[in-house]
Every structure is written in structure tokens, then in C-alpha cells.
Amino acid sequence: MPAFARRACAAALLAAAAAGAGCTPGPNYSPRDWVTLPPDAVVGAGDPTRAAILNSAYAFGTPQSLAGRPAEAAVAVAQLDYLASEIPFGARWREFDPTVGLLLQRARQEVRNYVGVSQDAAPQAVIDAFYGASRALRANDTAAAERILAPPVVPNSRQALGHLSAMPLLPIANQATTRAAQELDRVGRINGRSGGGPGGGGGGRN
């Protein structure tokens, strides 16, 4: 699809979303909230956003790989929440098909509903909470993970940990993260970068 057509399609989708906003209460945070990943989001000198795209695409595309691995699932949840703010509004990703950002925002709602995250929680608070819980779980400290996944971000931490341990196939999250990975590759090929996507280098699973 030509770039102008993609922009027109995205504008139409945004207009439809805005029209529906008057009927359904939206989150209290702004979708343009600035977000960042923690320093340990990627090992070495890799690009954390590219790593988040590739890792989340793998995680939500093969949820069986997360069975009984709540620490890894927590990272995937945090990465998706990050991408849903970063991809639509980050200047580095302006070459992406704009419909990918809209899909990621829908996926964030789907994943938050499944895990039990407040739809009103600020994206950065979700990112910090789930990376913190992942660290605690890797240290075999479930009690600490429950304390970190606390209200108002997560109303029921024990339930959330149970859901992280048995992640099903979430279709919107699967589609959105797959599309993001495809765009990373497409833009990288256009720009002649073997690493894929804007900026060159980086990428890979956490």
C-alpha cells in the first residue's frame, strides 16, 4: 500500500476512535505519555526498542513458550505496553505503517484485560512494575513480585501472576507484534540496513 494511502487509512481509524471516545470512557493517561525501558531491558549494546519488538512478537506468537515462565511473560507485557506508546509517537518510527501503532494500542487493552492491569494505569508505571516483578521472579521471590504488582496498577497481584504463568494466544497482541516485526524488517530493507528498521544494528530477544 502506498505511503499516502496508509496515512489516509490511519487518519480514518483515528477519526473513528475519536468519535467513539464520547461513548466509552477512556484511560486517564495520555497515549502520548513519554515512556522508556529500564537499563536491563537488553543485554549489551543492542537497541532496546528493537529487542522489544522482536521479543514481544515471539512471545505473543508462541505463548506456549511462556508456559510456567511468568518472569518472561512479565517482560513481554511490559514491552508491549511500551511499544503501544513508543511506536505511534516516537520520531524514530515515522516510516512505520501508522496502522501498526493503532493495533499495538488495541493489543495493550487486550493484554491488560487478560493479565488484570488497570486500563487507567500510566504506561510507565506498568513498564516499571512488570520489569520489577520479572526481576523478583527470576530471583525466586514471588512475595516481592506480588508486592511490586500492586494497586492501582494491578488490583489483584496474585491473580495477575497466575495469568502470567498460563498466557493464552491473545489474537490482537499476536497480530500487532507480528506486524511491528514485519515493519521493522520492511523499513530496514528499504534503508539498506541488515539489522532491520530505523537506526541500524541491535534487535534480538531479551
Side-chain angles (χ1 to χ4, degrees), residues 89-111:
F89 304 112
R92 287 180 61 197
W93 317 104
R94 61 185 179 273
E95 294 177 272
F96 271 33
D97 182 332
T99 61
V100 172
L102 296 173
L103 262 178
L104 286 166
Q105 291 173 343
R106 289 179 56 207
R108 167 161 56 193
Q109 292 180 330
E110 177 188 51
V111 171

Side-chain angles (χ1 to χ4, degrees), residues 52-66 72-84 104 107-112 114-115 130 163-164 166-180 205:
I53 292 172
L54 297 175
N55 183 72
S56 63
Y58 178 81
F60 289 107
T62 58
Q64 66 272 17
S65 69
L66 301 177
E72 286 79 1
V75 167
V77 169
Q79 289 174 330
L80 177 56
D81 224 278
Y82 166 80
L83 293 172
L104 286 166
R108 167 161 56 193
Q109 292 180 330
E110 177 188 51
V111 171
R112 286 190 179 194
Y114 168 72
V115 176
F130 279 83
H163 287 178
L164 289 173
M167 191 85 77
L169 180 65
L170 299 171
I172 303 174
N174 179 25
Q175 181 186 13
T177 54
T178 298
R179 287 283 311 284
R205 295 182 60 202

Side-chain angles (χ1 to χ4, degrees), residues 3-171:
F4 74 87
R6 291 198 304 271
R7 288 193 293 271
C9 180
L13 289 172
L14 285 169
C23 302
T24 304
N28 291 328
Y29 66 84
S30 166
R32 294 176 182 269
D33 280 351
W34 182 81
V35 290
T36 186
L37 291 169
D40 60 349
V42 66
V43 177
D47 183 317
T49 300
R50 289 141 101 46
I53 292 172
L54 297 175
N55 183 72
S56 63
Y58 178 81
F60 289 107
T62 58
Q64 66 272 17
S65 69
L66 301 177
R69 303 174 66 189
E72 286 79 1
V75 167
V77 169
Q79 289 174 330
L80 177 56
D81 224 278
Y82 166 80
L83 293 172
S85 286
E86 172 65 14
I87 296 301
F89 304 112
R92 287 180 61 197
W93 317 104
R94 61 185 179 273
E95 294 177 272
F96 271 33
D97 182 332
T99 61
V100 172
L102 296 173
L103 262 178
L104 286 166
Q105 291 173 343
R106 289 179 56 207
R108 167 161 56 193
Q109 292 180 330
E110 177 188 51
V111 171
R112 286 190 179 194
N113 279 335
Y114 168 72
V115 176
V117 179
S118 171
Q119 293 292 348
D120 286 339
Q124 192 63 55
V126 175
I127 295 163
D128 293 342
F130 279 83
Y131 266 103
S134 177
R135 295 184 198 104
L137 291 167
R138 290 176 193 275
N140 296 315
D141 193 342
T142 303
E146 289 184 1
R147 289 194 299 272
I148 293 167
L149 297 179
V153 175
V154 180
N156 187 328
S157 61
R158 188 163 298 179
Q159 181 184 70
L161 288 175
H163 287 178
L164 289 173
S165 295
M167 191 85 77
L169 180 65
L170 299 171

